[in-house]
Amino acid sequence: MGPNGSFVGRALPGVNNTVLARGRGRFVDDIHLPGMCHMTVLRSPYPHARIKSIDIDEARQLRGVVHVVTREEIRRDTRPIPEGWDTTEAGAKKVDWYALAVDRVRYVGEAVAAVVAEDKYTAISALDFIKVDYETLPAVVDASTALEEGSPLVEPEWGDNVLVTDGFRAGDVDRALTEAEGVIRGSVRSQRITGVPIEPRGIVAVCDPTDDLLTFWESTQQPHAVRTFLAQVLRMPETRIRVIQPHVGGAFGLKQPTSQEEVLVAYLARRLRRPVKWIEERAESLQVGGHSRETVCQYEAAFDRAGKVTGLRVRIIADVGAPTAYLGWGMSFVTMLCIPTVYKIPNIDVGLTSVVTNKCPWTPYRGFGKDVATFLMDRIMDRVADETDLSRAEVRFRNFLQPDEFPYQQGSGAMLDSGNYPAALRRLLGLIDADQVEGWRAQARARGTRVGVGLGYELTPEGVAMPGSIMNNGYDGATVRVSPTGRVTVLAGVTSPGTGNETALAQIAADALGCRLDAVEVLQGDTDLCPWGLGNYSSRSIIIGGSAVREAALDIREKVDQVAGKMLGADPAQVEAGEGVFHVVGDSARHLTFEEIVRQIYWHAYEEFAEDIEPALEATRYFRIPNIRHGADGSERDNVYPTWPNGAVAVAVEVDPETGLIKVLRYWTVEDAGTIVNPLLAEATLHGGIAQGIGSALFEQVVYDEWGQPLTGTLMDYTIPTAVELPRFTVRHQETPSPFTPLGTKGVGESGLGGVLGALCSAVEDAFPELQLHFDELPLTPGRVWRALHDAVRTRRSRGPS
């Protein structure tokens, strides 16, 4: 039971679990319509080339081919794909990006043509009969090279390869570095990665020939945004498009609009007046489904002998791939915004350069740049600890923001809402059994291996509101409707990518209404049913969507309390309820059920007990985080993230020095996501984030060769962790409520991904203290670890005995 008998705070299984476990979920590929045909996409084999001509005659004549679409048709009949984030407001350069490349291809996999056929296999075969005459152009596949004078240009009209620059300063960094007792310099490098959802992207579209109504099923995170973008591209009234989100098998940010394939399927369904389906292949997903994180952070940090960091200069270079309408490059902006994460550093100077290259564009991915900032700061804190002979935990304690300093404005302008970082780290350290760790160390030495323990501390701000984008203002809506029999329907503007947020929304609604939980049904992901909403990203489903549900339900509760008070002969303010029973405070013997009160309102409208009450028990409310534009002092500023979850992380590893192979033994974390609505689902979400974090720290990397050809084409090349590689997780929650959300929620959707990156590096270093290892580049592959160990041993031997 939650606090005070409420549903909020209860660990309840997801309401959809039974349906999904029985295999009765309905995903996009489960949709089969009469007369359905299938689309495949011809993709560029070159990283950079001019399209001289396209010959589709042979492909069109194949038996079973319905249509072949190329650039001329797309340029004539559609508009460029709208940007998810208005780059002009952000100061970034922009391009016109169509559903098919119209003059040049800028990365391997960019869409060149599309085939629609009666079946998928015919459509795939037809691709081989399309002849494209390419004129290859010089490509650039490294961000540092792209910044050099004379480098090949991804967009020649720009004059350089810089998409955007940004930065901020606070205090006097030059003076701090000059007067410091110690200075460390270095860089950290995060590799290019991608998300691997169980279900790749998928779309089915059909257009009614009578009324030109386009129905569009998609495995998406943002149905309403998809509808708006499609209306603009196809020059259609928005009211003639219905977007439906079936069950989604994972998204992680990769399924945000708008892609070339979304436009192609919608356009072709409307043109052909037949249902069209496209299901992404895994190879396509790895090649063009969206990449992220490839970033280098160069730093200088000033510190004193007490371990306090007094100044920090950081230069961020992010390789964001080819420019498109995706808002993925915004991850580099967030990396900049989050520095210096949970630490109080008085003098700071951070600069960002986002660089375009001839590689797959960045697409939003879980972590969204926060992971890179956390990795950087964890590595810096560990280096300071090494230089001062302090423990890595103690250096963090000495640099943390303190609980009484919130809300706190960082140098970037970011307004941190609440937190108790020292308490979380102290609790984490208490979870680690030192005797057990020493036992592991002894057993490992006997086997010829080593055990180490590392720390990390992540900051994962949530509820993003991007200025100048359709996601601006940090708001969302919900409709709550009570039927005459007391059944409750919640129609949410937010959506679920498979994380079970519909259960948490039902818990919030049941508490606010005072009804039973099993009386509540939550509907999401249908633009014809649900109020306009911005969908799922950045943990906003509960932070913002849940708050909208609560506000709408409370509007109805006010009516219910008024009628209940009259029926019970009491002041409505003295009526309390829980799990469907209403009674007067202090007198539980006199009570009514939720259904009895609702029946009175509907069946006896305008009569004795409901004479002043309109019978419709329905409310639509929109909630907006109040601190989006305001600092703690009331001043106006763009506070992009309204809530700031955080977490202390520790990890134990065993390392084989003969192979460089790392085995993760245990993972401990204390996560602070504010008020937790459903601990069971929050922990499940954390487990997923931790697994992705471990995978990206140890295995995952999208690799290109020097000519821009991707080398990680399948899951044989792109390694992801399985249950075999994952350890036992110990997860604890520390609830420091946000002052800016009605329930104090902060979000947990992107937690678990960032803290493990530095913690694993720290753990491997701790396993070999005599070698003074420094790991500042990911992933920690066996080859990289083996080389570092053997280089350190050779260096130590060359120095002779100390």
Side-chain angles (χ1 to χ4, degrees), residues 72 299 339 607 625:
E72 289 83 5
Y299 67 85
I339 297 171
E607 295 182 10
I625 295 273

Side-chain angles (χ1 to χ4, degrees), residues 168 170 336-340 348 409-415 638 644:
F168 65 88
M336 174 196 70
L337 176 80
C338 287
I339 297 171
I348 190 163
Q409 185 186 4
Q410 286 282 23
S412 63
M415 186 61 63
D638 284 336
W644 295 77

